[in-house]
Amino acid sequence: TPLERIRNFSIIAHIDHGKSTLADRLIQMCGGLTEREMREQVLDSMDLERERGITIKAQTVRLEYAAPDGQTYQINLMDTPGHVDFSYEVSRSLKACEGALLVVDASQGVEAQTLANVYQALDNDLEIIPVLNKIDLPAAEPERVRAQIEDVIGLEAHDALEISAKTGLGVSDVLDAIIHRLPPPEGDDQAPLKALLVDSWYDTYLGVVVLLRVFDGRIKKGQRIRFMSNGAVYTVDRVGIFRPGKQTVDELAAGEIGFLTASIKEVAETNVGDTITDDKRPCDKPLTGYKESQPVVFCGLFPVDSSQFEQLREAVGRLRLNDASFQFEMENSAALGFGFRCGFLGLLHLEIIRERIEREFGIELITTAPSVVYHLYMTNGEMRELHNPADMPDPVHVDHVEEPWIEATILVPDDYLGAVLKLCEDRRGRQKTLTYAGNRAMVVYELPLNEVVFDFYDRLKSVTRGYASFDYNWIGYETGELVKMSILVNEEPVDALAMIVHRSRAELRGRAMCEKLKELIPRHMFKIPVQAAIGGRVIARETIAAMRKDVTAKCYGGDVTRKRKLLEKQKAGKKKMRQFGKVEIPQDAFIAALKMD
Ligand code: GDP
Ligand code: MG
């Protein structure tokens, strides 16, 4: 296809504003889908993704649009990952396009996630078409949202389209706008191959599948290609496109988006953002903006049933096959036995992996406190990264500690602003700006990431009844007064509960942890002290009283089935318990203890 008849775009939208519905509608209008296929939204394919309404892998579909001008256009629609944890992946998907549809729910308005993605699109010089969706709803206020797009984003919105992705109203205007308002790609198909590696995943039949955008040159079967970041060379087995099912094509040329396979064994060999070139006739320099993906949140995953360790090893290995940003290494905890220390792009990423291990592999897990990566500057001048609070060296050898900070943007209706400000202040936040657009406030805070990883999203949602939206980006490392807090149960330190805290917050956190554990650990036949300590100094303490009677005592003389039921219930509960010295701690205590009220 000549470049003038190609359009590459993605859809930017806050969750639930209608991205998938619009994508399906566009696919249907271009004749790419049967009724049966329409029943399921095609672009969000993985179960978990569908359940949570988010997309993790960038996906793309090629449409053929017979325009009213008599020409047939090749339209490549790229669906981008929908969550802050994957913002680098989003930026690479956007780089593969010339334009974007900014879909805003006309009954809701602009949200923080939308903002972040629009700024990324503008950074990549994308042409943006604002689209007001859900105008079929009685609550839709297109005029107000139009003004909001202009005020908050600073984007011209008088020619925003008004549509209903659900009923199909106005959707043909979207296709028309894609053709007339978005620029075609530029590139030279005679120049040496230069393509962007947008995403990759593992396919049981094909091995690693690489999603790519060709900028210059051509790529076809049999060609020797090179990944410029690591120098790896492969022979292309196949190139193809998604419509949305995979379809093999002869070649992909400058301006086009599609996939390749090349007998690549592991996703880890393919780096998102990398430049793919021809091995014999390489381009002179790679595309700009390549960045290695770095995990930012770490935690330990241990099987509740320690005999499942081998199964867990297999599970993490399998998940890693498909997710190069997920890292793990074996860990041995005094309290929890063998498990894995794992690195994630963010909290949601952690949750997804944890849920998949439990669901798909049937392994119940104990998850230890999520931790960020601290930089320890040692007295001997060395810098060490700390991924696990349990590895904190003796403080006399540490000169100072640095922790990562983020800049958070929160959009919230006025009524809840007070609660949001309090939450941010409680988490050591520094307010940068506070502005209003209509009856919504936009507040920007700098926050230490370690105050965000535990339960910030949950708290934010609960204090704003779900009305706030949140997004963040990195600002870097800063020195902080950080110390390791140990938790002792029955005088024994439980390494899995150790955490790094800011000195000013240590007592509060320590007290909260002890109180929580007191609620969560069942009574035993003896008294159990629960303590929080920094170094050798106890900063908080609670005591779990001893159990008075046998639990079944009250059933004596009563009916036997009731007694058996009680014992069975206890046994089922036991499975989720873990023995620490003489004390049994329930599995949920590990995460629950970290949540602050
Ligand atoms: P996404 O998270 O942005 O992909 O949003 P979805 O496409 O999954 O849509 C979220 C919800 O909004 C679904 O229940 C859709 O049926 C609904 N929805 C999407 N577009 C419209 C629309 O134009 N009108 C109405 N009334 N509902 C819509
Ligand atoms: Mg969706």
Side-chain angles (χ1 to χ4, degrees), residues 349-479:
H349 190 209
L350 185 164
E351 283 276 293
I352 290 168
I353 298 272
R354 197 182 55 77
E355 240 175 89
R356 293 190 63 186
I357 293 173
E358 296 204 326
R359 255 196 235 191
E360 294 169 28
F361 298 86
I363 306 169
E364 270 191 85
L365 292 173
I366 293 175
T367 316
T368 65
S371 169
V372 300
V373 178
Y374 295 96
H375 288 173
L376 307 183
Y377 289 84
M378 313 301 286
T379 47
N380 67 6
E382 182 196 343
M383 193 280 272
R384 272 196 218 166
E385 283 191 358
L386 181 73
H387 293 177
N388 187 348
D391 297 338
M392 181 77 164
D394 187 330
V396 300
H397 301 304
V398 181
D399 181 72
H400 68 280
V401 182
E402 289 187 356
E403 62 177 332
W405 280 67
I406 57 160
E407 183 184 80
T409 302
I410 300 167
L411 275 162
V412 65
D414 268 0
D415 299 351
Y416 302 102
L417 180 62
V420 170
L421 296 182
K422 176 163 188 325
L423 176 65
C424 292
E425 294 294 330
D426 284 349
R427 301 299 173 98
R428 297 194 278 137
R430 300 187 293 235
Q431 190 180 310
K432 302 306 285 181
T433 59
L434 172 58
T435 47
Y436 291 89
N439 59 346
R440 286 168 75 78
M442 178 167 92
V443 56
V444 178
Y445 258 91
E446 290 181 349
L447 287 157
L449 185 62
N450 96 339
E451 301 285 347
V452 175
V453 292
F454 295 116
D455 60 348
F456 189 85
Y457 301 114
D458 290 352
R459 297 293 304 150
L460 184 68
K461 260 192 247 148
S462 89
V463 302
T464 63
R465 302 224 192 126
Y467 283 116
S469 61
F470 169 83
D471 193 44
Y472 72 82
N473 52 278
W474 275 78
I475 49 183
Y477 276 80
E478 267 185 44
T479 304

Side-chain angles (χ1 to χ4, degrees), residues 200-493:
S200 61
W201 57 90
Y202 192 82
D203 180 290
T204 334
Y205 301 104
L206 302 174
V208 174
V209 177
V210 170
L211 177 65
L212 74 160
R213 154 73 198 265
V214 182
F215 281 88
D216 284 323
R218 299 164 170 275
I219 185 166
K220 56 165 157 304
K221 183 177 168 173
Q223 194 171 346
R224 298 279 288 167
I225 52 163
R226 191 197 306 165
F227 291 164
M228 294 181 84
S229 72
N230 56 12
V233 174
Y234 302 93
T235 304
V236 177
D237 291 333
R238 142 191 357 236
V239 293
I241 56 172
F242 298 97
R243 6 194 14 148
K246 288 191 203 70
Q247 180 183 317
T248 304
V249 296
D250 291 337
E251 64 168 19
L252 292 170
E256 298 188 318
I257 297 175
F259 71 88
L260 70 81
T261 63
S263 307
I264 303 169
K265 297 234 164 42
E266 283 187 40
V267 175
E269 296 165 49
T270 58
N271 298 316
V272 170
D274 203 349
T275 301
I276 304 169
T277 192
D278 187 273
D279 185 45
K280 287 207 205 63
R281 191 178 159 233
C283 57
D284 50 0
K285 50 179 192 302
L287 295 156
T288 54
Y290 171 66
K291 207 170 77 178
E292 223 169 289
S293 89
Q294 290 285 356
V296 293
V297 177
F298 285 78
C299 79
L301 298 181
F302 295 86
V304 170
D305 172 356
S306 52
S307 71
Q308 284 193 314
F309 173 74
E310 282 306 321
Q311 277 154 273
L312 179 58
R313 184 204 296 279
E314 183 175 333
V316 289
R318 289 258 293 278
L319 291 175
R320 160 89 188 172
L321 274 181
N322 212 355
D323 184 349
S325 47
F326 164 56
Q327 299 189 353
F328 63 91
E329 60 182 46
M330 216 176 92
E331 180 181 12
N332 188 2
S333 150
L336 299 174
F338 288 104
F340 292 94
R341 189 84 197 155
C342 303
F344 307 92
L345 294 175
L347 272 192
L348 179 91
H349 190 209
L350 185 164
E351 283 276 293
I352 290 168
I353 298 272
R354 197 182 55 77
E355 240 175 89
R356 293 190 63 186
I357 293 173
E358 296 204 326
R359 255 196 235 191
E360 294 169 28
F361 298 86
I363 306 169
E364 270 191 85
L365 292 173
I366 293 175
T367 316
T368 65
S371 169
V372 300
V373 178
Y374 295 96
H375 288 173
L376 307 183
Y377 289 84
M378 313 301 286
T379 47
N380 67 6
E382 182 196 343
M383 193 280 272
R384 272 196 218 166
E385 283 191 358
L386 181 73
H387 293 177
N388 187 348
D391 297 338
M392 181 77 164
D394 187 330
V396 300
H397 301 304
V398 181
D399 181 72
H400 68 280
V401 182
E402 289 187 356
E403 62 177 332
W405 280 67
I406 57 160
E407 183 184 80
T409 302
I410 300 167
L411 275 162
V412 65
D414 268 0
D415 299 351
Y416 302 102
L417 180 62
V420 170
L421 296 182
K422 176 163 188 325
L423 176 65
C424 292
E425 294 294 330
D426 284 349
R427 301 299 173 98
R428 297 194 278 137
R430 300 187 293 235
Q431 190 180 310
K432 302 306 285 181
T433 59
L434 172 58
T435 47
Y436 291 89
N439 59 346
R440 286 168 75 78
M442 178 167 92
V443 56
V444 178
Y445 258 91
E446 290 181 349
L447 287 157
L449 185 62
N450 96 339
E451 301 285 347
V452 175
V453 292
F454 295 116
D455 60 348
F456 189 85
Y457 301 114
D458 290 352
R459 297 293 304 150
L460 184 68
K461 260 192 247 148
S462 89
V463 302
T464 63
R465 302 224 192 126
Y467 283 116
S469 61
F470 169 83
D471 193 44
Y472 72 82
N473 52 278
W474 275 78
I475 49 183
Y477 276 80
E478 267 185 44
T479 304
E481 273 217 64
L482 298 153
V483 290
K484 174 179 163 185
M485 181 169 79
S486 313
I487 300 295
L488 296 91
V489 176
N490 204 25
E491 315 284 346
E492 303 237 22

Side-chain angles (χ1 to χ4, degrees), residues 483-553:
V483 290
K484 174 179 163 185
M485 181 169 79
S486 313
I487 300 295
L488 296 91
V489 176
N490 204 25
E491 315 284 346
E492 303 237 22
V494 179
D495 57 359
L497 289 173
M499 59 201 291
I500 305 292
V501 291
H502 193 261
R503 198 178 283 282
S504 68
R505 306 249 303 141
E507 225 179 284
L508 196 77
R509 267 226 122 93
R511 225 180 300 131
M513 281 276 263
C514 292
E515 279 166 21
K516 269 275 167 62
L517 287 171
K518 184 183 174 183
E519 278 168 37
L520 294 163
I521 300 175
R523 290 180 174 205
H524 285 57
M525 302 306 290
F526 46 89
K527 231 174 24 184
I528 305 169
V530 179
Q531 298 159 305
I534 293 172
R537 196 168 61 87
V538 172
I539 55 169
R541 179 192 168 103
E542 292 284 334
T543 305
I544 302 167
M547 191 158 41
R548 262 184 239 119
K549 297 190 226 102
D550 186 289
V551 266
T552 59

Side-chain angles (χ1 to χ4, degrees), residues 13-24 41 44 53-55 79 103 105 133-137 163-168:
H14 187 73
I15 285 174
D16 282 346
H17 282 203
K19 182 169 76 163
S20 304
T21 309
L22 177 58
D24 292 349
Q41 290 188 341
D44 294 346
I54 52 160
T55 310
D79 194 15
V103 173
D105 183 334
N133 188 31
K134 306 198 188 182
I135 56 156
D136 59 296
L137 291 177
I163 71 159
S164 166
K166 191 168 170 180
T167 66

